[in-house]
Amino acid sequence: MMLKPSIDTLLDHIPSKYSLCILQAKRAHELEEGAQPTQGFKSVKPTLQALEEIESGNVTIHPDPEAKRAAVRARAEAERLAKEEEERKIKEQIAKEKEEEGEKI
């Protein structure tokens, strides 16, 4: 059985087999979790889909992984704060409605 895409064409895009393996695994996990694909796939499995994206050049190693991690953390923190703000607004609205309901009785 022949791997498509071949390891030789993949190593044209990624400097080492280790880096290729790590990048493929991370991208496959992202695809399994519902990340938006960058292209149409011939393969069904996320691991092979990740290899197809790497071969086409749509997925590469980030040049500054620390900056990427910091950006991901900042995005997660912003989402958390937005959810907390939304919950606070909902609680205020509920309290206001209860207060108005109490006045009507």
Side-chain angles (χ1 to χ4, degrees):
M1 185 167 96
M2 184 107 173
L3 174 67
K4 297 280 183 174
S6 75
I7 189 82
D8 296 328
T9 60
L10 292 168
L11 288 175
D12 291 341
H13 300 282
I14 307 298
S16 72
K17 290 178 184 178
Y18 174 77
S19 298
L20 175 63
C21 180
I22 298 300
L23 180 62
Q24 182 237 0
K26 286 184 178 184
R27 183 60 183 158
H29 284 295
E30 289 174 357
L31 290 170
E32 284 179 341
E33 292 172 357
Q36 197 71 338
T38 60
Q39 66 186 42
F41 300 114
K42 296 176 186 173
S43 304
V44 178
K45 295 181 179 182
T47 52
L48 295 175
Q49 291 173 349
L51 289 176
E52 287 181 30
E53 287 184 332
I54 293 168
E55 181 187 38
S56 66
N58 295 336
V59 175
T60 58
I61 295 175
H62 196 279
D64 187 4
E66 252 334 289
K68 182 179 179 182
R69 283 187 207 102
V72 168
R73 280 190 222 112
R75 191 178 326 119
E77 180 66 15
E79 288 174 3
R80 185 187 65 78
L81 291 174
K83 284 180 182 177
E84 286 180 0
E85 180 65 20
E86 183 67 26
E87 287 178 13
R88 185 187 62 76
K89 287 180 181 180
I90 290 171
K91 287 178 181 178
E92 286 178 358
Q93 182 66 28
I94 291 171
K96 183 179 177 183
E97 288 174 2
K98 283 184 178 180
E99 188 177 293
E100 289 174 359
E101 192 175 290
E103 291 175 0
K104 290 180 183 177
I105 295 178

